[in-house]
Amino acid sequence: QVQLVESGGGLVQAGGSLRLSCAASGFSFRIKAMAWYRQTPGKQRDLVATITSIGATIYTNSVKGRFTISRSNDKNTVYLQMNSLKPEDTAVYYCNTWPNSDDYWGQGTQVTVSS
């Protein structure tokens, strides 16, 4: 079965940094575009960043210049480097394919940014 296991979240002060990791298994990771999404309680899950199988990236405007998505096809892992964090970045962060599959959502990892 498909598994996506997010890790690396935590509590940081505004202006700080975190690096999230997503370990993927159960599908052909290397040929799939991947993405990070985030969700605040009671709100819709939003796209944060995408990366194609060959490394082309797209970012939502609110994180552009601060976040960097990357991947290791050898390790079946996608990363999200988050710098200059803001309280508005507080959310549960998930990885998934892009477009997402409803069957692939994992537990996510909590990111909390204090002001």
Side-chain angles (χ1 to χ4, degrees):
Q1 73 280 19
V2 170
Q3 277 194 303
L4 295 168
V5 182
E6 300 92 345
S7 62
L11 174 63
V12 297
Q13 192 173 352
S17 298
L18 286 171
R19 190 177 84 148
L20 308 184
S21 297
C22 171
S25 61
F27 68 101
S28 297
F29 176 87
R30 67 181 62 194
I31 66 170
K32 290 286 190 178
M34 298 294 295
W36 285 95
Y37 306 81
R38 65 187 180 186
Q39 186 173 31
T40 301
K43 297 184 179 179
Q44 192 173 1
R45 187 150 35 204
D46 295 325
L47 180 67
V48 177
T50 69
I51 184 166
T52 71
S53 61
I54 60 169
T57 59
I58 302 173
Y59 300 90
T60 194
N61 285 337
S62 62
V63 309
K64 199 171 298 181
R66 300 187 297 120
F67 291 10
T68 303
I69 188 171
S70 61
R71 68 190 293 158
S72 171
N73 287 341
D74 289 340
K75 297 180 179 179
N76 283 7
T77 302
V78 60
Y79 305 95
L80 187 67
Q81 178 66 47
M82 305 186 295
N83 299 326
S84 301
L85 282 162
K86 303 176 179 180
E88 307 94 272
D89 298 318
T90 295
V92 178
Y93 284 71
Y94 301 86
C95 65
N96 207 321
T97 54
W98 184 60
N100 69 270
S101 172
D102 286 340
D103 296 328
Y104 288 9
W105 297 112
Q107 291 293 115
T109 186
Q110 176 72 50
V111 172
T112 303
V113 184
S114 62
S115 59

